[in-house]
Amino acid sequence: MIVIEGCAIATVDAQRTEHADGHIVIDGDRIVAVGAGPAPSEIDASRRIDGRGCLATPGLVNCHHHLYQSATRGLVTDGTLFEWLVALYPVWAHIDERTVAAAARGGLAALATSGCTTSTDHHYVFPRGGGDLLAVEIDAARAIGLRFHPCRGAMDLGQSQGGLPPDSLVEDLDAILAASEEAIDRFHDPAPGARVRIALAPTSPFSVTRELLVESAALARRRGVRLHTHLAETIEEEEFCLGTFGVRPLQYLDDIGWLGEDVWLAHCVHLDDGEARRMGATGTGVAHCPTSNGRLGAGIAPVPRLLEAGAPVGLGVDGAASNEAQELIHEVRAALTVARAARGPRALSARQALELATLHGARCLGREDELGHLSAGALADVALWRLDDLGFAGIADPVAALVLGPPRPVDALLVGGEIVVEGSELRTADAETLASDLARECAAIAERAGL
Ligand SMILES: [Zn+2]
């Protein structure tokens, strides 16, 4: 058993219970008790973590990412989404198992040290002969120690058919469906406490056929896995959908049965009020990626409207090619500041911002029964944030200090009761080795792509 005590606790449980000074008791991979004051002295703990000066929160959940992009950061720094994609597709065509291994480990390490215990990934670039890329990133998540929900992504609408990606990067519909089913067979764990679950994720309306969307939804529902895609990210996408399909992006998905409690959509920047209500009515989740949306100048998602409508709104760092920092706690602050910049100081509270990163993220991934809150019976995924240095001095409210105060790496991170970060340092891998591996693979792909 592990006991954490002496810390403030924001449980994000059903009652939003908070303790100014409390304890958490962990047995195996589950939390068995959370309460005020010190833990009962009769508990025979193998380990006691001194939480004084810290705030404990649920481990953060990252709802959207493209880990391979950690190998292509800092490119097209001033372009729109479509300009950025058209310039980067030919670079991404050169990824292989070594690129993805180094990029995924580096990206997952950045998530861990920024408080993330569960991440998804949306991998949709499968160059011919590029290797077993999904297996490589799942190995990376096991090595770093994070819970992982990778999406088998895909593109099947190349430029010659009116899509945005080059024909050389798109796959055949039947091959995609076979690979999707194989990914579920090999990796998906439906059991409680799962470390790996698969979702299916055709990439975006402008890079996939309607048939792939329809067939992927049928396959996902037959196999009991979730669905994910990008939607309503930019005005250019809206114009593409109106011009190509005659409807706005959300209507396009709605018409083919792609809204529901088993679906979460990245971005949703350009939704009107009626569309936000439709998201809530269908229980469709959103992965809000404020830094990426700002980096690409896409706009600000209507998060307060989506929350009012009852839609789950999780947070995502998005790929590192459009969010070079790729740290999840930054997105908590960014969600608050962009919501308020757009709609005033009461648009999103510090506690709501924390809820997006925890409970709402767990809802997006279908894990709210056991993730996203600190309560007895939940998985022991815990972030411990140190708030007693000069940067936070005198801020009485620990949640306000975490969300509004200066950025810091998480002090300690536990995933399923296992220590991943301690003393603000990754314990599962050597950060210097990860950095040199990533730098080597960045140089290698740059050379292959002729950059
Ligand atoms: Zn994305």
Side-chain angles (χ1 to χ4, degrees):
M1 290 179 111
I2 298 174
V3 167
I4 305 171
E5 57 191 346
C7 49
I9 304 175
T11 65
V12 199
D13 67 5
Q15 293 74 39
R16 303 298 189 265
T17 309
E18 295 185 9
H19 302 291
D21 178 354
H23 66 271
I24 301 167
V25 183
I26 294 165
D27 187 5
D29 70 346
R30 298 269 167 183
I31 295 169
V32 292
V34 181
S41 55
E42 65 269 23
I43 290 173
D44 183 20
S46 60
R47 174 133 203 218
R48 284 184 182 265
I49 296 174
D50 180 358
R52 282 177 295 178
C54 294
L55 168 68
T57 69
L60 309 186
V61 179
N62 179 39
C63 293
H64 188 64
H65 207 337
H66 311 286
L67 285 164
Y68 74 90
Q69 291 181 7
S70 302
T72 61
R73 292 194 284 175
L75 303 173
V76 197
T77 51
D78 306 301
T80 65
L81 173 71
F82 280 15
E83 290 164 351
W84 174 89
L85 280 170
V86 166
L88 283 169
Y89 284 136
V91 181
W92 296 338
H94 295 276
I95 64 170
D96 60 17
E97 289 187 352
R98 291 162 58 120
T99 324
V100 172
R105 285 175 190 239
L108 290 160
L111 286 173
T113 51
S114 61
C116 172
T117 49
T118 298
S119 184
T120 187
D121 189 58
H122 187 177
H123 192 88
Y124 58 86
V125 178
F126 293 93
R128 298 188 220 317
D132 196 353
L133 302 183
L134 204 58
V136 165
E137 65 171 10
I138 290 169
D139 281 347
R142 287 201 180 107
I144 300 298
L146 295 197
R147 218 174 282 289
F148 197 41
H149 282 225
C151 302
R152 206 302 176 178
M155 305 190 287
D156 73 335
L157 188 68
Q159 272 166 3
S160 65
Q161 305 301 312
L164 198 67
D167 287 359
S168 61
L169 268 190
V170 302
E171 299 175 276
D172 170 71
L173 174 72
D174 290 336
I176 292 167
L177 294 173
S180 299
E181 186 132 36
E182 187 193 339
I184 299 168
D185 289 337
R186 287 174 74 192
F187 302 117
H188 184 69
D189 178 3
R195 287 273 183 161
V196 177
R197 284 194 187 161
I198 297 291
L200 302 187
T203 302
S204 60
F206 50 84
S207 63
V208 306
T209 60
R210 185 185 189 99
E211 200 178 3
L212 177 60
L213 287 165
V214 170
E215 293 296 327
S216 296
L219 174 58
R221 284 166 179 154
R222 179 161 61 76
R223 297 297 306 269
V225 303
R226 301 178 83 75
L227 286 165
H228 181 54
T229 190
H230 295 91
L231 200 84
E233 182 173 357
T234 64
I235 289 291
E236 288 86 353
E237 178 193 328
E238 189 174 301
E239 288 166 352
F240 176 93
C241 288
L242 285 166
T244 309
F245 314 121
V247 290
R248 291 165 55 79
L250 194 77
Q251 189 66 51
Y252 177 54
L253 286 195
D254 205 352
D255 289 345
I256 54 175
W258 247 80
L259 302 184
E261 291 179 353
D262 58 345
V263 181
W264 86 105
L265 305 172
H267 304 304
C268 295
V269 170
H270 298 280
L271 296 185
D272 63 27
D273 288 355
E275 290 169 331
R277 285 195 293 274
R278 183 72 183 139
M279 293 290 289
T282 54
T284 309
V286 177
H288 175 42
C289 305
T291 297
S292 172
N293 296 153
R295 158 74 155 82
L296 292 168
I300 298 175
V303 168
R305 292 269 186 283
L306 288 158
L307 292 174
E308 278 164 29
V313 181
L315 297 182
V317 296
D318 205 357
S322 64
N323 176 4
E324 277 74 2
Q326 59 179 330
E327 295 185 347
L328 192 49
I329 188 64
H330 290 233
E331 301 308 307
V332 179
R333 180 185 291 98
L336 180 144
T337 53
V338 303
R340 293 184 180 190
R343 291 165 194 267
R346 281 176 287 282
L348 197 74
S349 71
R351 281 169 175 74
Q352 282 178 305
L354 179 62
E355 285 174 24
L356 300 187
T358 53
L359 192 58
H360 279 256
R363 287 176 68 193
C364 284
L365 300 186
R367 303 291 299 266
E368 68 271 34
D369 56 336
E370 55 183 4
L371 293 176
H373 48 93
L374 300 176
S375 41
L379 285 163
D381 290 13
V382 184
L384 200 60
W385 308 91
R386 182 156 292 286
L387 300 176
D388 61 358
D389 71 29
L390 178 60
F392 303 95
I395 306 178
D397 176 351
V399 176
L402 174 66
V403 177
L404 303 175
R408 295 282 188 273
V410 73
D411 186 68
L413 191 79
L414 288 83
V415 179
E418 293 175 7
I419 303 257
V420 174
V421 175
E422 193 175 20
S424 297
E425 290 190 2
L426 193 65
R427 295 293 168 183
T428 49
D430 175 56
E432 284 184 21
T433 305
L434 296 181
S436 61
D437 287 352
L438 181 56
R440 185 192 65 235
E441 293 306 321
C442 289
I445 192 172
E447 187 177 338
R448 290 198 294 276
L451 295 178

